[in-house]
Amino acid sequence: MSDLSSQNYDRAMHRHPISGDVDVYDSLRDIYIGRLVNIHTQGLMLVGDVPLEEDRLYELDMHIPHENGKQVLRIGVDCLWTRAADQNGKHWTGFSIIDSTPHAAEEIHKLIQSWGQF
């Protein structure tokens, strides 16, 4: 984390580690930014090669494997924190979900139920 005060975020909701590969893209810049590590209904964490900025809004596309290929869920997020990982230039990034359609929220619930580790 870039600042020790960032460690004070309360985690009122249980995070669900994801047991499959969910690729995440910055939809506005049309670039791959990382892989989903964990998620809950109000936030998520990624690991990736692209450093993102704290206190900035992003529009993310999550590419979720689906029986008919990939399903893309678009959500609006606020980047709460970021820090360098211990491996080859990777970055951990935590987000709060600030905007999603009812369909995206429902699909996040399904993702947690089917792929989340409780």
Side-chain angles (χ1 to χ4, degrees), residues 29-58:
R29 295 185 292 171
D30 195 27
I31 60 170
Y32 174 77
I33 58 171
R35 180 181 50 82
L36 184 64
V37 175
N38 65 45
I39 192 167
H40 57 72
T41 57
Q42 296 178 359
L44 57 114
M45 185 172 75
L46 303 178
V47 64
D49 298 325
V50 178
L52 300 175
E53 296 178 39
E54 290 181 12
D55 298 322
R56 182 171 171 197
L57 303 179
Y58 291 91

Side-chain angles (χ1 to χ4, degrees), residues 5 18 26 35 43 69 76 100 107 109:
S5 65
I18 299 301
D26 179 332
R35 180 181 50 82
S100 68
E107 291 302 316
H109 282 287

Side-chain angles (χ1 to χ4, degrees), residues 3-93:
D3 181 76
L4 290 178
S5 65
S6 297
Q7 296 177 7
N8 293 329
Y9 285 113
D10 290 333
R11 292 192 181 136
M13 300 195 71
H14 175 72
R15 294 177 175 198
H16 302 280
I18 299 301
S19 61
D21 292 328
V22 176
D23 292 327
V24 181
Y25 294 80
D26 179 332
S27 66
L28 299 177
R29 295 185 292 171
D30 195 27
I31 60 170
Y32 174 77
I33 58 171
R35 180 181 50 82
L36 184 64
V37 175
N38 65 45
I39 192 167
H40 57 72
T41 57
Q42 296 178 359
L44 57 114
M45 185 172 75
L46 303 178
V47 64
D49 298 325
V50 178
L52 300 175
E53 296 178 39
E54 290 181 12
D55 298 322
R56 182 171 171 197
L57 303 179
Y58 291 91
E59 190 170 88
L60 304 181
D61 286 342
M62 295 191 302
H63 290 234
I64 301 170
H66 198 263
E67 62 227 17
N68 301 326
K70 297 248 183 211
Q71 176 178 6
V72 177
L73 296 181
R74 181 165 289 171
I75 57 173
V77 296
D78 181 10
C79 180
L80 300 176
W81 58 266
T82 184
R83 69 177 161 114
D86 293 334
Q87 37 177 271
N88 302 333
K90 299 278 188 202
H91 300 272
W92 297 102
T93 309

